[in-house]
Structure formats: structure tokens, C-alpha cells
Amino acid sequence: LESYLQDVQQFSSPKMHLEQYPTDPHLAASVLFTAESSYGDLQGKHVLDLGAGCGMLTIGCVLMGAEQVTAVELDKDAIRNLEENLAEMEMEEMCGVVQADVTSLPFRDNLQFDTVVMNPPFGTKQNEGIDMVFLEAALSRCRGAVYSFHKSSTRDYIVNRFESDDYKVEVIAEMRFQIPKMYKVHRKKEVFVDVDFIRISAG
């Protein structure tokens, strides 16, 4: 799985205000393998990828046996990269690409997906709170489990906000994200961020 994901083209025109950073192929492969091997949440499922970017998680889900993946992305440049990746992998028929904002998903009201996967913006500076917006949108469209990356520093907040009779919150992996120097404001060659991979499922 990881070897295939290493061929996924990354952002050709990354945008800082959208917090566009590449999803590491090794991390993506590890967490998607866990989602399927431990929970059976990918094979034969209808999957939604919110903020799909260049398609790292979308493509990984297909490789793990998802029946259909719907990739939602706002940025037209990222969508071009995503569609090129899908064409290169010959996955166009198994994936639908939708240009949309997560706050106004263009789906019929009762449309639900088996599984949602996403690597949302962490919600830093001008995007404060956007990570929770992504989670709310994901849960509103999921009848099974939501998988998402979040800064470890927000763990307690996420658990307190979503753990209830309706939802179970699990931290299924703790990892370090490597963020390379991509934008002019970056002064260091790279930084590492402690990140949780969480699973929220219907209680």
C-alpha cells in the first residue's frame, strides 16, 4: 500500500490559507491499514474523503477495497492534482470528485456514507476552529465511523465535545507529522507536530 501511495503527486500550487500540506504516504498507509484490519471500515464500503487534497487518502481507500469513494475538495488546483492522480492509478470509475466547501456539501439531505476519512486543517491562526467544522460535517454524513487526524493538544477537547451516548471516541494511533518548509513564512527546514489519528463511531 505504501509503495503505491508514494507515487501520488502532491500539491502543485499549495495554499497556506487552506493549510495545504502533503499527507505522508507511510502514515496514510498505516492508518488506513488499521481502519480495515482492526475495524473492517473500508472494504466494500462507500467512503467520503473530506478535504481530499491530492487524493492520498482517497486512493488509499480504493487500494484497501472501498467500493466507492467520494472526494470533496474546495481548491481547484488540488482537484486538478487529484484527478491526475486518479487517472494515473486508473481509479476514475471508483471515485467521484466534488468541488465544495465542507460547510455546504451539495448532497441530498438523507445521503449517508459508511465511512469518512480526512486530514483536515488543524485550525491554526486565521483558521481557528475549522478542524471542528470538518468533524461536525463528517459526523452529519456518516452512518459508521469517522477517521481523522488532529493535533494531540486538542485530544481532551475532542473527547469532551463528542464522547456521548451517541458517539464513541478512540485514539487509535499517535504519531508525528513532518511539515516541510513550503511557504515564505516558514523559517525552519521542517517541523514536527504531535498528531492523533482518531476514530469516532456511532455509540
Side-chain angles (χ1 to χ4, degrees):
L1 177 60
E2 181 178 347
S3 62
Y4 280 103
L5 294 181
Q6 287 175 344
D7 292 333
V8 174
Q9 173 189 333
Q10 298 290 0
F11 296 103
S12 58
S13 302
K15 297 171 179 61
M16 184 175 175
H17 71 279
L18 296 176
E19 293 189 51
Q20 290 180 335
Y21 298 99
T23 301
D24 181 78
H26 173 70
L27 296 183
S30 298
V31 296
L32 293 177
F33 180 81
T34 299
E36 175 54 32
S37 62
S38 297
Y39 300 96
D41 282 331
L42 295 178
Q43 188 168 2
K45 305 294 187 181
H46 287 213
V47 178
L48 174 64
D49 182 358
L50 288 180
C54 300
M56 183 70 71
L57 296 178
T58 293
I59 290 168
C61 287
V62 173
L63 292 170
M64 290 302 296
E67 182 175 327
Q68 184 73 29
V69 182
T70 299
V72 174
E73 173 56 48
L74 177 63
D75 179 44
K76 63 181 181 180
D77 292 322
I79 287 177
R80 184 174 64 252
N81 297 145
L82 168 58
E83 291 177 337
E84 289 172 354
N85 283 325
L86 293 176
E88 181 68 24
M89 298 279 188
E90 299 182 349
M91 291 180 176
E92 300 104 310
E93 293 185 3
M94 291 166 281
C95 300
V97 178
V98 178
Q99 183 175 12
D101 191 305
V102 296
T103 61
S104 54
L105 295 173
F107 303 135
R108 66 178 189 271
D109 290 343
N110 63 344
L111 180 61
Q112 296 281 295
F113 295 84
D114 299 311
T115 305
V116 181
V117 298
M118 58 184 187
N119 181 12
F122 287 150
T124 58
K125 297 182 180 178
Q126 72 268 26
N127 287 332
E128 185 174 358
I130 191 64
D131 50 340
M132 297 301 111
V133 172
F134 267 75
L135 270 180
E136 293 282 5
L139 290 168
S140 73
R141 290 293 176 174
C142 186
R143 56 174 166 253
V146 172
Y147 290 88
S148 186
F149 294 96
H150 294 273
K151 291 176 71 174
S152 298
S153 60
T154 64
R155 180 190 303 171
D156 290 344
Y157 178 81
I158 291 173
V159 171
N160 291 333
R161 178 165 176 170
F162 294 102
E163 182 81 38
S164 64
D165 292 338
D166 295 325
Y167 297 115
K168 177 182 180 182
V169 181
E170 303 169 80
V171 178
I172 60 175
E174 300 176 39
M175 55 196 67
R176 302 195 80 200
F177 261 26
Q178 179 184 7
I179 298 179
K181 183 177 181 180
M182 294 174 56
Y183 303 106
K184 290 182 179 180
V185 299
H186 290 169
R187 297 181 180 181
K188 296 181 179 180
K189 181 179 179 181
E190 60 186 11
V191 296
F192 292 89
V193 179
D194 291 328
V195 172
D196 291 342
F197 186 61
I198 68 168
R199 180 181 189 265
I200 305 180
S201 55

